[in-house]
Amino acid sequence: MNDASKIRRRLKDAIEKASFGDVAPEERDRLLHVVVVGGGPTGVEFAGEMHDLVTEDLAKWVPSLSRHIKITLVEALPNVLPSFDKRLVNYTEYMFAKNGIQLRTNTRVHSVGDRTLRVSTNGVESDVPYGTIVWAAGIRARQFAHTLRAKVPDVQTSARGLIIDDYLRVQGTQDIWALGDCTVSKNAPLAQVASQQGKWLARRLNALAHDTDAFQKIQTHKPFTYASNGSLAYIGSERAIAELPWFNKQITLNGPFASVFWKAYCLWELSSVRSSLSVATDWAKRALFGRTMSVD
């Protein structure tokens, strides 16, 4: 919530500064440039929601400025959403182009300054001015993970995090397990993966209450196997993409119907009926009265 408030406050301040009459056009364009770094589901969804905010609300509140607001998504890989079906990736890129969201793929970020970020696209470096930047790319593991990795440098050779085996054990150590974004394994660093890893490991460790030799016996169980429950992403303009398991196949959906499915799944995943009703009510109020830019 704090990060969301900071982003909203930063965007609101940038719009207010850009509205001053003595602001040069170049400075106005910088202030109204929103850059999202990271082309995974988080970055894509933020860019889509940002587009909706501009077209549905800012166009009414600040019509003279909304047409100058620019959204750019920066991704180091050749395309966004690398874990999704290619057809869904193509549909997302088509919708972004239609909505005026600029995609800069094959672009790496080298540094972020107060007003610009330094990037390189296919080896050519350039500075990108921005007013608001949102980091949705990979994150560095906590220092504890790197300290542990340094204890066994011959085995822990990845700078990204802790290398684990199929039983979630940190390689080169004994009776130490790790999961989630701080690890390196054959599975992608997704929330679904981390959730399933946590449940699998909890079942194994709960056995300690009944068997003091469970540490040694943990390898006698079946190793952790990730089972995809499907992937969803909202891409703006009341459209989404979905990749869902169906028996031994994967079916793909896109467009308005996928957006309804995405919303239904979001409500289903919330922790309580109260939370689901609260979110559904917020969506209804937004549809009727628009968003609010309040940051308190």
Side-chain angles (χ1 to χ4, degrees):
M1 290 296 292
N2 289 335
D3 289 341
S5 295
K6 288 178 181 178
I7 294 171
R8 180 167 290 192
R9 183 178 293 108
R10 178 65 179 258
L11 180 62
K12 183 179 180 180
D13 290 345
I15 293 173
E16 289 181 352
K17 291 177 181 177
S19 67
F20 296 158
D22 59 347
V23 175
E26 295 80 6
E27 177 64 5
R28 178 202 62 200
D29 291 342
R30 181 193 70 80
L31 288 167
L32 298 179
H33 188 195
V34 180
V35 177
V36 184
V37 181
T42 301
V44 166
E45 289 190 342
F46 183 89
E49 289 282 2
M50 185 66 211
H51 166 267
D52 290 353
L53 172 65
V54 173
T55 58
E56 296 173 6
D57 297 288
L58 296 183
K60 300 175 183 176
W61 300 339
V62 284
S64 61
L65 292 178
S66 63
R67 58 190 177 91
H68 295 288
I69 297 176
K70 179 182 176 182
I71 306 169
T72 299
L73 181 64
V74 178
E75 169 56 44
L77 296 177
N79 56 262
V80 297
L81 301 171
S83 62
F84 279 73
D85 185 275
K86 183 62 176 176
R87 291 168 295 181
L88 298 179
V89 173
N90 292 338
Y91 178 76
T92 300
E93 293 177 345
Y94 162 76
M95 286 302 304
F96 272 24
K98 182 179 179 181
N99 291 336
I101 301 173
Q102 182 183 17
L103 283 179
R104 295 193 59 171
T105 54
N106 289 311
T107 301
R108 295 182 177 275
V109 176
H110 294 288
S111 62
V112 179
D114 293 335
R115 300 165 64 90
T116 63
L117 65 156
R118 187 72 174 173
V119 302
S120 64
T121 304
N122 297 320
V124 180
E125 293 193 2
S126 61
D127 290 323
V128 179
Y130 71 88
T132 303
I133 186 169
V134 175
W135 190 271
I139 58 175
R140 187 178 186 272
R142 293 280 186 175
Q143 186 57 44
F144 174 79
H146 293 286
T147 301
L148 179 59
R149 184 171 61 84
K151 300 293 184 180
V152 282
D154 294 339
V155 180
Q156 295 293 333
T157 56
S158 175
R160 286 175 46 208
L162 298 168
I163 301 175
I164 59 175
D165 61 17
D166 291 341
Y167 294 88
L168 311 186
R169 294 175 303 189
V170 177
Q171 292 190 3
T173 69
Q174 185 177 4
D175 299 341
I176 298 179
W177 289 266
L179 54 86
D181 288 349
C182 71
T183 64
V184 178
S185 68
K186 63 184 181 182
N187 299 304
L190 302 174
Q192 271 193 61
V193 175
S195 176
Q196 292 183 28
Q197 286 176 332
K199 293 175 181 177
W200 183 91
L201 187 58
R203 289 194 296 269
R204 301 286 85 81
L205 296 183
N206 280 338
L208 286 173
H210 310 287
D211 187 350
T212 57
D213 294 327
F215 277 146
Q216 288 72 34
K217 294 180 180 179
I218 199 167
Q219 194 167 351
T220 63
H221 296 271
K222 291 183 179 180
F224 170 76
T225 302
Y226 169 62
S228 174
N229 294 324
S231 300
L232 297 162
Y234 180 75
I235 60 175
S237 297
E238 294 302 323
R239 285 166 171 77
I241 56 174
E243 189 173 9
L244 307 171
W246 183 259
F247 295 101
N248 294 324
K249 297 181 180 180
Q250 293 282 340
I251 61 173
T252 60
L253 301 172
N254 60 57
F257 177 75
S259 177
V260 174
F261 188 86
W262 175 81
K263 290 181 178 180
Y265 182 78
C266 288
L267 296 177
W268 175 263
E269 280 292 292
L270 292 176
S271 58
S272 66
V273 174
R274 179 180 179 181
S275 297
S276 298
L277 290 175
S278 176
V279 171
T281 301
D282 286 342
W283 284 344
K285 288 192 296 184
R286 188 197 74 181
L288 293 172
F289 309 110
R291 297 169 178 81
T292 174
M293 287 295 287
S294 172
V295 295
D296 297 324

